[in-house]
Amino acid sequence: MPPRQRPRPKDRKESIALVAARLFCARGYHNVGIEDIAREVGITGPAIYRHFPTKQDVLAAAVQELGLRFAERVESGARGDAPADRLRAALRALVRYGLERRTVARLYQWEGRHLDAERQAVLAAPFDRAVRTLRGLLLDVRPELSRRDAALLVAAALSVIASPATHRASLARAKAERTLLDCVDAVIAVDLPAPPAEAPPRRRHPDRFALLPRRERLLAEAVRLFHEHGYHQVSMADIGRAAGITASSVYTHFTGKAELLAAAYDRATGRLEDAVAEALVDAGSPERALRRLVDTYVRLTFDQADLAAVYVSESENLAPPDLRRLRAAQRRHVDTWIGLVAELRPGEEPAAIRFRVHAALNVVTDLARSAGPSATEPRTAALLGPMLEPPDRTADAAGVSRTAGAPSGRRWR
């Protein structure tokens, strides 16, 4: 069936890039072909090649479009006299942009790795400049912060802003904007615990899997390689070579990559469910249960950052039955968080609570995989409480509001 012919837009390249971004995010870069993009745009495959020589060029254009628009929102919002007003306006503009581009916001986070390093650096430049602008604005508002701590708070705020792209919960646009802004306010107001005198190493010994049984070693190396290179760029031979196992022996443990990936997800789900159940036994109160849940989730995610990243980024490569099982497990886990937060915030709409929970979970995943040595487990956990626990309505004379069970911090309304 030929593609539907649609009126030619003013900027065909931009239209192609945005459609491709949506498909890449929904299905994964390697699961989308040029014909798929053409069909969605309403043109032929050869017409795509008139604008983009390769699929990588389409991906690069999509990443560039998102980066430039992100930077524009920051620059247009960061105007005015008072630093707090400029920061607030920039963050509000980003929240609105993230909701407008919800179906493509994950592109920069996960699919940019399919570009070569030189191209990634060029495309990242507008985004990096905008992040530095946000950090400078936050330092103007909170001069007591170190540059590293300001960068960490900005990274967490951006994870909140991007979080709607990681889930399918629905909420009226105005309510979604208010909920996300409230979470952003809470994050950038946190007084972080002091960093350790010596930051713990984020790299682990290359032989850390050497003494594992063969099946476990294969699974561990597969997770590492899937995270570093992407599922489609890794072969069974690569996994066997990394594990020190011959290619023929690999197949005595797993029939193929799909089974390996499913086993990795089952492993992540099982460990999480066991740890959560143990943490919540005898918690005694919703407040204590939520804090235990936060600590447990942060610890597991940081301890298995590669697995957490693969858990988020490669799910579309699962076989349909495995994907259904994974999503059911994800819903059960999120519902545990929602139930506890709902007890602590009884007047809040359930859909808004779901947005809060997904924002908190996204902060943990992002910081565990990419925020560097300043994002320790205690410091990451300190960011979640203010987003999830009920705010204390009292404020001291200096205008500092308090959040129950969390460090104090300024709030900008």
Side-chain angles (χ1 to χ4, degrees), residues 88-228:
R88 176 69 171 181
L91 292 171
R92 181 186 290 277
L94 288 178
V95 166
R96 289 174 173 170
Y97 179 62
L99 290 170
E100 291 166 6
R101 290 283 186 259
R102 183 176 181 179
T103 59
V104 300
R106 292 178 65 226
L107 182 73
Y108 189 89
Q109 184 180 25
W110 297 114
E111 301 302 335
R113 63 184 171 173
H114 300 298
L115 300 170
D116 61 75
E118 182 177 354
R119 184 175 274 183
Q120 282 187 44
V122 171
L123 295 176
F127 179 84
D128 291 342
R129 284 196 301 272
V131 171
R132 287 195 296 271
T133 297
L134 291 172
R135 184 185 63 190
L137 290 172
L138 180 56
L139 285 170
D140 287 340
V141 175
R142 299 190 60 188
E144 79 281 3
L145 291 173
S146 68
R147 290 172 64 84
R148 179 173 291 183
D149 284 357
L152 177 59
L153 294 180
V154 167
L158 293 178
S159 292
V160 170
I161 291 167
S163 63
T166 67
H167 63 88
R168 301 179 181 183
S170 60
L171 185 62
R173 177 64 64 86
K175 291 180 179 178
E177 182 180 325
R178 287 197 301 270
T179 301
L180 292 173
L181 275 171
D182 189 68
C183 290
V184 168
D185 280 348
V187 163
I188 61 176
V190 166
D191 290 335
L192 292 164
E198 183 175 344
R202 297 301 290 272
R203 290 181 176 271
R204 300 203 177 124
H205 195 277
D207 296 328
R208 64 189 184 276
F209 305 139
L211 299 180
L212 292 175
R214 282 189 169 193
R215 179 182 171 85
E216 295 300 313
R217 194 156 74 244
L218 283 168
L219 189 55
E221 290 292 359
V223 167
R224 180 182 65 82
L225 292 172
F226 291 158
H227 173 49
E228 291 179 359

Side-chain angles (χ1 to χ4, degrees), residues 31-54:
N31 297 327
V32 176
I34 289 294
E35 291 296 332
D36 297 319
I37 300 169
R39 192 176 303 112
E40 285 292 313
V41 176
I43 59 178
T44 64
I48 297 282
Y49 288 114
R50 287 201 290 271
H51 299 283
F52 299 102
T54 68

Side-chain angles (χ1 to χ4, degrees), residues 194-336:
E198 183 175 344
R202 297 301 290 272
R203 290 181 176 271
R204 300 203 177 124
H205 195 277
D207 296 328
R208 64 189 184 276
F209 305 139
L211 299 180
L212 292 175
R214 282 189 169 193
R215 179 182 171 85
E216 295 300 313
R217 194 156 74 244
L218 283 168
L219 189 55
E221 290 292 359
V223 167
R224 180 182 65 82
L225 292 172
F226 291 158
H227 173 49
E228 291 179 359
H229 306 291
Y231 176 80
H232 288 276
Q233 298 299 105
V234 176
S235 69
M236 289 291 277
D238 295 330
I239 297 167
R241 189 160 42 249
I245 299 172
T246 62
S248 59
S249 297
V250 172
Y251 289 97
T252 65
H253 299 279
F254 297 97
T255 58
K257 283 197 306 178
E259 186 181 354
L260 261 169
L261 184 63
Y265 281 109
D266 287 340
R267 176 64 49 81
T269 299
R271 287 178 176 174
L272 184 59
E273 288 179 341
D274 290 345
V276 167
E278 183 178 353
L280 298 186
V281 168
D282 296 326
S285 69
E287 292 86 354
R288 183 177 297 177
L290 181 59
R291 290 168 194 168
R292 286 186 180 183
L293 183 59
V294 166
D295 290 341
T296 297
Y297 185 74
V298 170
R299 173 177 53 79
L300 278 177
T301 305
F302 273 68
D303 188 52
Q304 304 172 56
D306 287 356
L307 183 55
V310 170
Y311 191 85
V312 172
S313 64
E314 300 291 356
S315 63
E316 298 303 326
N317 293 308
L318 287 169
D322 294 325
L323 182 57
R324 287 193 294 271
R325 191 172 68 252
L326 169 68
R327 286 181 173 164
Q330 289 173 327
R331 285 193 295 270
R332 289 195 302 270
H333 179 66
V334 171
D335 286 346
T336 298

